[in-house]
Amino acid sequence: MRRFIIVGTTAKGSGEFSLDDLPSSSGRLDVLLRCVRAALLTSHGLRANVVVYLMLLGEGAAPRVVRIGGEGLKFVRPDERSLAVLVQKLLLRHVGQAVGQEGAFVEQKPGLAVADGGLECVLAELGGASVYVLEEGAGDVRDLDLASEDVALFVGDHRGFDDATRGAFEALGAVRVSVGPVSLHSDDVVTLVTNELDRRNW
Amino acid sequence: MRRFIIVGTTAKGSGEFSLDDLPSSSGRLDVLLRCVRAALLTSHGLRANVVVYLMLLGEGAAPRVVRIGGEGLKFVRPDERSLAVLVQKLLLRHVGQAVGQEGAFVEQKPGLAVADGGLECVLAELGGASVYVLEEGAGDVRDLDLASEDVALFVGDHRGFDDATRGAFEALGAVRVSVGPVSLHSDDVVTLVTNELDRRNW
């Protein structure tokens, strides 16, 4: 299983944003949505062995995590607006129900779930996965010694990681990895890691 | 100079599409716009050595080519809707002026130009560039022997290339290249080629 965890430092968890002005009104959820496409979609299909977590840590709502993928996920369209509609509906339904237990994922539809909380919700799902953090200047992903197909890869948004999150990575023994010499958008990072894993037939 | 030429077999050249339903109303211009981001933008900047050509070959208007990049291009936002607004304004202004000479690029703003025509408009701009075509099953981009920094890379949309375009590639002596074992979206292909060129410091 490949788990991509995209840390949205400013993305809002309320679902209250405008589809016509996504970057400003959502706290740059657009950055995270592009990662969903890069992680989950191939040319004409969905990757069944991938789960994407969107950590929504922005102001205006309690931290929340959206989980997309794995068993049961059906048709997902690649364009940003369609992905925004999908995540918005998911969040609004979740907020409306308010049945969740703190920290637990509540499945809204097959392959689509939301949890109230932050990093702890994701960590509770990782099991024995090897944990990697994508960071500039770290060891090259092409040289990575992958011991297991069960991987969890943390990717930062346009602001990178804050100190608390970095501390958690250290406590987890996460391995730092980079994708090349140029500082890239988060979705490019996801694409490059995905390609390396594809090449290893994982 | 890196030139990415994205061949939009169904994308409309009229500029008449809805921002609220981009994929259907534009003939999948969304596929091409995502390539613009992947080719031109780094984490916090623009690549000055890259030009992107969007070939708009869909029905409803004469074929048209949009050129984005190179000298003078300023701030470009990464989200799909902003890119759609940029290209729509460019096309509508071009159509309204109708001052273009068949096949020649008319600059509308620094770094932004439109030409009436198809492949011939692009070929007229390539000079001595080495020409590559991104195709599944071809030789690996990682093994590519790049003789020059002056490259032109053709990337297909969700439908790939038609026979006429393939014939033109053959006549050009274009080298076929692939990015890995999985069939990917066009923007992923652009990201992967870009990374390989970045790694070679080009």
Side-chain angles (χ1 to χ4, degrees):
Chain A
M1 179 73 77
R2 294 182 200 172
R3 296 179 185 85
F4 280 101
I5 305 104
I6 321 295
V7 183
T9 53
T10 61
K12 282 194 216 167
S14 63
E16 289 168 1
F17 54 79
S18 162
L19 296 170
D20 294 346
D21 184 17
L22 188 60
S24 305
S25 68
S26 70
R28 296 307 308 274
L29 183 66
D30 61 308
V31 174
L32 282 65
L33 295 174
R34 289 195 289 275
C35 293
V36 173
R37 187 208 59 74
L40 277 173
L41 301 187
T42 62
S43 187
H44 296 284
L46 269 168
R47 293 175 182 273
N49 64 332
V50 175
V51 179
V52 183
Y53 297 87
L54 305 183
M55 290 179 54
L56 311 175
L57 307 180
E59 288 176 20
R64 212 158 259 149
V65 182
V66 169
R67 188 182 70 196
I68 305 175
E71 288 293 309
L73 186 64
K74 297 246 172 72
F75 193 60
V76 174
R77 299 207 302 197
D79 65 292
E80 222 166 283
R81 190 182 175 96
S82 295
L83 289 165
V85 168
L86 184 148
V87 168
Q88 187 171 51
K89 282 186 180 167
L90 199 59
L91 286 169
L92 292 177
R93 186 187 292 201
H94 178 83
V95 172
Q97 289 177 331
V99 295
Q101 213 182 336
E102 184 77 19
F105 279 93
V106 180
E107 191 164 65
Q108 296 291 348
K109 284 190 177 184
L112 298 169
V114 183
D116 291 325
L119 188 59
E120 70 284 2
C121 307
V122 176
L123 297 184
E125 299 233 319
L126 298 190
S130 306
V131 180
Y132 301 92
V133 180
L134 275 295
E135 285 219 82
E136 290 169 41
D140 193 339
V141 68
R142 291 192 184 182
D143 301 328
L144 194 62
D145 186 15
L146 283 165
S148 145
E149 294 185 24
D150 195 17
V151 292
L153 305 127
F154 284 85
V155 179
D157 65 3
H158 58 300
R159 296 213 179 160
F161 305 113
D162 64 17
D163 287 344
T165 310
R166 276 179 204 283
F169 293 154
E170 209 155 306
L172 281 166
V175 176
R176 296 169 65 243
V177 191
S178 80
V179 293
V182 176
S183 177
L184 298 175
H185 287 177
S186 309
D187 50 334
D188 289 329
V189 173
V190 171
T191 294
L192 291 163
V193 172
T194 292
N195 181 251
E196 184 60 31
L197 297 176
D198 285 348
R199 285 167 173 271
R200 299 184 189 198
N201 208 15
W202 280 5
Chain B
M1 179 72 78
R2 294 181 199 172
R3 297 178 184 87
F4 280 101
I5 305 104
I6 321 296
V7 183
T9 53
T10 60
K12 281 195 216 165
S14 64
E16 289 168 1
F17 54 79
S18 162
L19 296 169
D20 295 346
D21 184 16
L22 188 60
S24 305
S25 68
S26 71
R28 296 308 307 275
L29 184 67
D30 62 309
V31 174
L32 281 65
L33 296 173
R34 290 194 290 275
C35 293
V36 173
R37 187 208 60 72
L40 277 173
L41 301 187
T42 62
S43 188
H44 295 285
L46 268 168
R47 294 175 182 272
N49 64 333
V50 175
V51 179
V52 183
Y53 296 88
L54 306 182
M55 291 178 54
L56 310 175
L57 307 180
E59 288 176 18
R64 211 159 259 149
V65 182
V66 169
R67 188 182 69 197
I68 306 176
E71 288 293 311
L73 186 64
K74 298 247 173 71
F75 194 59
V76 174
R77 299 207 302 199
D79 66 292
E80 222 165 282
R81 190 180 175 98
S82 295
L83 289 166
V85 169
L86 184 147
V87 168
Q88 186 171 51
K89 281 186 179 167
L90 200 59
L91 285 169
L92 292 177
R93 185 187 292 203
H94 178 84
V95 173
Q97 289 177 331
V99 295
Q101 213 182 336
E102 184 78 18
F105 279 93
V106 180
E107 191 164 66
Q108 297 291 347
K109 283 189 177 186
L112 298 169
V114 183
D116 291 325
L119 188 59
E120 70 284 2
C121 308
V122 177
L123 296 184
E125 299 232 319
L126 297 190
S130 306
V131 181
Y132 300 93
V133 180
L134 275 295
E135 286 218 83
E136 289 169 42
D140 192 339
V141 69
R142 292 193 185 180
D143 301 329
L144 194 63
D145 185 16
L146 283 166
S148 146
E149 293 185 27
D150 195 16
V151 293
L153 305 127
F154 284 85
V155 179
D157 65 3
H158 58 300
R159 296 214 179 161
F161 305 113
D162 63 17
D163 288 344
T165 310
R166 276 181 203 284
F169 292 155
E170 209 156 304
L172 282 167
V175 175
R176 296 169 65 242
V177 191
S178 81
V179 293
V182 175
S183 178
L184 298 175
H185 287 176
S186 309
D187 50 334
D188 288 329
V189 173
V190 171
T191 294
L192 291 163
V193 172
T194 293
N195 181 251
E196 183 61 32
L197 297 176
D198 285 348
R199 285 168 174 272
R200 299 185 189 197
N201 209 15
W202 280 4

